[in-house]
Amino acid sequence: MATEVTVPVLGESITEATLGEWLKQPGDPVAVDEPIASLETDKVSVEVPSPVAGVMGQHAVAVGDTVQVGAMLATIDSGDGAAAAPAKTPEPAATATPAALAKDESGAGYGDQPGAGTSDSPAALSPSVRRAVLEHGVDPGTVKGTGRDGRITKEDVTAAASSKPVPAPAAAPAPTAAPAAASGRGEERVRMTRLRQTIAKRLKEAQNTAAMLTTFNDVDMTAVIEARAKYKDLFEKKHGVRLGFMGFFVKAATMALRDIPSVNASIDGDDIVYHDYADISVAVSSPGGLVVPVIRDADQMSVATIEKTIGDFGKRAKEGALKMDEMKGGTFTISNGGVFGSLMSTPIINPPQSAVLGLHRIEERPVVVNGQIVIRPMMYLALSYDHRLIDGREAVTFLVALKNAIEDPTRILIDL
């Protein structure tokens, strides 16, 4: 008897998703609640668990297909997999060679090996990982996976390729009629993920709707760097998390938002909605791109609690384990491009919010202090805001309040 697996409810107002990858192949044994597929929604990736124990049956949809909530994805057959998957002699992991992946990437032979689906077999690798294996010529059997449940990620393949010794040049083959791609001007067409499509749509919508403007300031990071160096070991020992800079900035931002409430507000039709709380969206990296989980009631948190929350978000974003509810809402966004080396940028507002703060890299520069030219670690701050709601005076006042709190962290302690 076969049990149908359908697309689960994905969240409020989300009616469809894209099948990102199959985690189980036909013939694989499946336990209750074991993930069998990964769906890409507008916000995060969602794993689909098996409702029963049994054997993976036939896939009803292919990777990349768009599926509606409630649609059938696959079937789970009763049994333990012994009858569905014919016995075979165990083969070493190295059999999953780039050549085999090339065959799989072209579509020929995909899923035609009974019992396929081990962590390093072609069928068990996601499309992006298979492409990376083909590009770098890496044997997936030699790559240690760091993803969820030990699965190989694109970053694992890249790291393995960088550590692989360069082979000696092979003897040149006899001249043949080379295809056009041999000129080194090849192209690859890859369909945008649903997350990337949503990011593109929302950012363009923000540009088309908001009267967006960016104002800049810079901040001397000396005091925060000294405080971090002095207390980082004690902080980590007591709270179990490293003391970073984001905790200071989030806390300072919540104080500035309280003083300048329009920066924490939003426009709803002809109304302005003011929030007496600060839900801070923080941009973190995930395998599919930047995602923006929300720190709820950040204004009520300590620096330690903020650092713990951000660290948890970052870890689960890399694993694709963020929940849909954690991505909703937010009254103000902080994006830290400095971790990638950005010196200055003009971040785009995350609708329906009215402002976003961009942080950048810390760079030693000459500045004048008490009439003397000194070298200080400086950072540029950028506040992009909706000029329909926020005036220039308010934007500048917000940045100055933030700057004052960072340059004198005692203000954060005494709530000044």
Side-chain angles (χ1 to χ4, degrees):
M1 180 178 178
T3 301
E4 292 187 355
V5 182
T6 60
V7 179
V9 176
L10 301 171
E12 184 181 355
S13 75
I14 299 179
T15 60
E16 62 180 21
T18 300
L19 181 63
E21 63 176 314
W22 284 108
L23 306 179
K24 290 291 184 177
Q25 300 300 317
D28 288 350
V30 179
V32 177
D33 293 331
E34 184 177 8
I36 64 169
S38 176
L39 298 175
E40 294 178 357
T41 70
D42 294 347
K43 296 179 181 290
V44 293
S45 295
V46 178
E47 291 186 339
V48 180
S50 172
V52 296
V55 179
M56 189 68 194
Q58 294 300 314
H59 298 162
V61 295
V63 172
D65 287 354
T66 297
V67 291
Q68 303 291 324
V69 171
M72 187 179 78
L73 290 174
T75 57
I76 303 295
D77 298 328
S78 59
D80 59 5
K88 66 172 185 176
T89 303
E91 296 178 352
T95 56
T97 61
L101 290 174
K103 179 183 178 185
D104 175 65
E105 187 73 13
S106 67
Y110 185 84
D112 60 357
Q113 294 297 323
T118 57
S119 62
D120 54 3
S121 68
L125 303 179
S126 67
S128 61
V129 174
R130 290 200 299 273
R131 284 194 295 271
V133 168
L134 292 172
E135 291 172 0
H136 297 290
V138 174
D139 180 358
T142 64
V143 179
K144 182 179 179 181
T146 60
R148 197 165 191 177
D149 298 328
R151 293 198 292 271
I152 297 174
T153 67
K154 186 176 180 180
E155 289 74 15
D156 296 333
V157 176
T158 303
S162 62
S163 62
K164 185 176 65 172
V166 179
T176 59
S183 64
R185 292 170 54 83
E187 296 180 352
E188 181 183 11
R189 184 180 295 270
V190 179
R191 186 177 180 180
M192 292 174 66
T193 63
R194 179 170 290 273
L195 175 60
R196 177 53 57 183
Q197 292 177 39
T198 302
I199 291 172
K201 179 180 178 181
R202 287 177 61 84
L203 294 183
K204 189 57 183 175
E205 176 186 346
Q207 286 185 321
N208 293 340
T209 303
M212 198 151 52
L213 183 64
T214 304
T215 187
F216 299 92
N217 211 321
D218 61 1
V219 58
D220 186 346
M221 296 290 291
T222 300
V224 168
I225 290 175
E226 290 176 351
R228 182 172 180 264
K230 183 176 180 179
Y231 296 111
K232 65 178 181 180
D233 293 337
L234 289 173
F235 185 90
E236 186 171 4
K237 182 178 180 180
K238 180 175 181 178
H239 299 290
V241 64
R242 294 181 61 186
L243 177 60
F245 296 125
M246 281 295 287
F248 290 98
F249 276 103
V250 171
K251 193 63 180 177
T254 61
M255 296 170 58
L257 291 173
R258 180 193 59 199
D259 295 338
I260 316 294
S262 61
V263 181
N264 196 43
S266 61
I267 295 177
D268 183 13
D270 294 329
D271 299 329
I272 298 175
V273 181
Y274 291 96
H275 309 286
D276 60 0
Y277 54 88
D279 288 350
I280 307 297
S281 305
V282 289
V284 296
S285 295
S286 75
L290 286 178
V291 293
V292 192
V294 180
I295 306 174
R296 310 288 180 187
D297 297 315
D299 53 318
Q300 305 298 321
M301 293 183 177
S302 65
V303 171
T305 305
I306 292 170
E307 288 287 2
K308 288 180 181 179
T309 304
I310 294 174
D312 177 61
F313 283 158
K315 178 182 178 181
R316 291 192 291 120
K318 292 180 180 179
E319 298 173 348
L322 286 174
K323 299 178 181 178
M324 193 73 63
D325 289 343
E326 294 171 320
M327 314 289 287
K328 295 180 181 178
T331 60
F332 182 76
T333 295
I334 300 179
S335 177
N336 185 9
V339 297
F340 305 110
S342 171
L343 177 63
M344 187 179 292
S345 67
T346 56
I348 300 178
I349 298 169
N350 181 25
Q353 299 172 21
S354 297
V356 54
L357 175 68
L359 308 181
H360 302 90
R361 77 169 184 251
I362 301 171
E363 184 178 63
E364 290 191 341
R365 295 198 298 270
V367 295
V368 178
V369 178
N370 298 325
Q372 300 293 322
I373 298 177
V374 295
I375 302 298
R376 291 293 177 88
M378 305 296 294
M379 176 194 288
Y380 286 117
L381 305 176
L383 182 73
S384 292
Y385 57 97
D386 190 343
H387 214 336
R388 297 178 302 167
L389 173 60
I390 304 169
D391 295 329
R393 177 182 60 85
E394 295 169 313
V396 172
T397 304
F398 173 88
L399 278 184
V400 170
L402 183 70
K403 172 184 172 74
N404 290 338
I406 295 298
E407 291 186 342
D408 183 8
T410 305
R411 289 173 173 263
I412 298 177
L413 178 63
I414 63 177
D415 194 17
L416 184 59

